[in-house]
Amino acid sequence: MASFLYLDHNATAPIRPEVREAMLPYLAEQFGNPSSVHRLGQRARAAVEAAREQVARLVGAAEPQEIVFTSCGSESDVLAIEGVLYEAWRRSSGTRRHWITSSIEHEVVLEVARLLNPRGFEVTFLPVDGQGLVDAQTVRKALRPETALVSVMHANNEVGTLQPIREIAAICRQNGVLFHTDAVQSAGKVPISAQAWGVDLLSISGHKLNAPKGIGALYVRRGIVLSPLVCGKQEKNRRGGTENVASAVGLGVACELAVSGLTAHAARTLEFRNRLEQGVLESVPGTLLCAGAAPRLPNTSCFLFESVDGNALVIALDLEGLCASSGPACSAGVGGSSHVLKAMGFAPSAAKGALRISTGWGNTEQELEKALEVVPACVARLREAVRA
Ligand code: PLP
């Protein structure tokens, strides 16, 4: 067992040895630029295209050319949203400038909305219920003649709720509106399929599925034209810049491993999750499990502990060698101000006691047992300190 217990896989996940091994040649002797005509360039090009095929299989694309490599999940989201909106605006001579998203999207999507607003792009935020679920019919009601895009995440990073993506995609298709889903947290954890769902754009990120940080991908259904964020000829004019060959190779291998091991991995993480949740709920009074009744990621548990500060709990757990979080890593330390828990109807005082535990590749039975000892003990200690 490692000297620490890592239960924060939704923040980032360790790189699998097979991924690292596959990358190494492209950080050493195979350093070619995929656009070069000579042999080193050809080898790099072949590696990138093989990775594109592997990514296409994981996301259920019809063809590898529907995959655009990006630098991260955030870039994939921004390219999907701004890329579609700017193109729709251009083609409609400025009239199609409305889009729809949910109130529990990742921070990057909310930030894009804030930036686009003064540029004349209007956004409708869909509400969620107490389980963090979007009602697909609210999408239908929010559509307008000038709506160009709907973007709703598949899995939420804080509470793990899985949205009715197929249903939303069907509504968008019927109404001639493009649909993007952020599958950053679900890719590699549950089956995803752009084609089967009927989505037009889908984001993933390397470091959430045991590939390195600094690589992501966007599925763009054939025929969709995006206004690029970075100009250049690479990635068929959709994302300029010399390809990150080694990381693309790593992402490809991670996707392949995820495809082949998905069923077993999902079953194992679900068993862990259920045992962990049952154990914590039984041994810690005053605990609420967020989104407990919703379809949910098999690896994610978000507990709200009454009379406990989530940030203090994360520190107490860290001192015991257990890494978890009180919210998304990108806004760590914000405690009770989670926009996701707020949208689900939790008061800031309740949301303040949030602890997110997210398991993943490499976690063992013994680690689960340790978590079941350490979490209740730390909660009890913090509550005692408050009472004293
Ligand atoms: N979307 C979701 C749902 C996420 O959880 C994250 C990261 O936490 C992102 C997007 C951004 O991904 P990246 O860290 O690769 O930019």
Side-chain angles (χ1 to χ4, degrees):
M1 211 196 299
S3 57
F4 59 89
L5 165 47
Y6 188 76
L7 299 179
D8 200 13
H9 289 249
N10 286 10
T12 195
I15 300 177
R16 288 179 67 159
E18 301 93 321
V19 169
R20 198 168 37 233
E21 282 302 309
M23 290 174 65
L24 287 177
Y26 300 94
L27 295 168
E29 70 280 3
Q30 301 298 344
F31 58 86
N33 181 329
S35 299
S36 297
V37 172
H38 51 66
R39 67 192 66 191
L40 273 185
Q42 289 170 27
R43 283 181 208 144
R45 169 60 55 209
V48 169
E49 296 315 315
R52 203 184 302 282
E53 284 179 22
Q54 291 166 314
V55 176
R57 273 197 290 279
L58 177 76
V59 305
E63 48 188 274
Q65 291 310 322
E66 292 175 323
I67 304 301
V68 179
F69 284 113
T70 64
S71 67
C72 57
S74 301
E75 186 190 330
S76 299
D77 284 348
V78 180
L79 177 58
I81 297 167
E82 292 196 356
V84 165
L85 289 179
Y86 287 142
E87 183 62 18
W89 179 87
R90 193 183 63 78
R91 285 187 189 212
S92 66
S93 307
T95 56
R96 284 191 96 176
R97 48 171 68 197
H98 173 246
W99 64 295
I100 298 167
T101 190
S102 88
S103 46
I104 61 162
E105 296 298 306
H106 185 262
E107 192 61 42
V108 68
V109 175
L110 305 183
E111 197 54 42
V112 171
R114 277 192 280 273
L115 286 172
L116 286 175
N117 193 40
R119 296 180 202 164
F121 290 94
E122 207 190 323
V123 63
T124 300
F125 288 105
L126 302 171
V128 293
D129 66 14
Q131 297 293 321
L133 273 173
V134 171
D135 175 352
Q137 292 313 315
T138 60
V139 176
R140 195 188 295 283
K141 288 184 197 131
L143 288 171
R144 302 181 193 165
E146 64 273 21
T147 307
L149 176 74
V150 174
S151 179
V152 174
M153 72 197 323
H154 181 215
N156 181 265
N157 42 313
E158 292 184 45
V159 296
T161 311
L162 293 166
Q163 303 299 340
I165 296 303
R166 252 178 223 270
E167 230 182 303
I168 299 173
I171 291 169
C172 293
R173 190 61 58 89
Q174 285 156 14
N175 289 277
V177 172
L178 294 180
F179 178 44
H180 163 248
T181 190
D182 172 338
V184 164
Q185 288 294 350
S186 52
K189 295 174 186 155
V190 291
I192 60 172
S193 175
Q195 268 190 98
W197 290 345
V199 309
D200 300 297
L201 303 113
L202 180 150
S203 304
I204 67 166
S205 169
H207 72 110
K208 309 288 184 180
L209 62 130
N210 308 111
K213 295 161 192 62
I215 186 80
L218 178 66
Y219 159 85
V220 184
R221 187 170 54 76
R222 187 192 177 101
I224 294 175
V225 179
L226 294 179
S227 172
L229 301 178
V230 183
C231 299
K233 295 273 176 250
Q234 292 89 352
E235 300 297 294
K236 301 213 174 304
N237 300 310
R238 296 169 295 188
R239 204 277 188 180
T242 302
E243 295 87 341
N244 182 345
V245 180
S247 294
V249 167
L251 177 60
V253 172
C255 288
E256 185 153 308
L257 292 168
V259 169
S260 60
L262 192 60
T263 313
H265 178 70
R268 194 173 137 80
T269 45
L270 181 63
E271 194 205 317
F272 266 30
R273 190 197 78 184
N274 290 345
R275 280 172 54 194
L276 178 80
E277 290 177 355
Q278 196 187 349
V280 170
L281 289 170
E282 277 173 12
S283 58
V284 189
T287 305
L288 200 140
L289 176 66
C290 296
R296 206 153 39 99
L297 284 176
N299 79 319
T300 306
S301 307
C302 178
F303 300 102
L304 299 187
F305 296 111
E306 222 175 86
S307 315
V308 168
D309 180 309
N311 291 327
L313 180 56
V314 168
I315 293 165
L317 291 170
D318 186 39
L319 291 172
E320 297 293 332
L322 190 156
C323 305
S325 66
S326 57
C330 56
S331 52
V334 295
S337 64
S338 154
H339 68 281
V340 174
L341 297 176
K342 186 171 174 214
M344 289 168 71
F346 291 105
S349 54
K352 205 167 178 290
L355 177 75
R356 180 186 69 184
I357 292 189
S358 50
T359 60
W361 175 82
N363 284 140
T364 64
E365 195 79 25
Q366 297 100 298
E367 290 179 325
L368 175 72
E369 295 305 325
K370 177 155 188 218
L372 280 170
E373 275 169 35
V374 171
V375 174
C378 286
V379 172
R381 210 179 320 132
L382 288 177
R383 282 179 176 165
E384 261 167 44
V386 170
R387 276 196 293 269

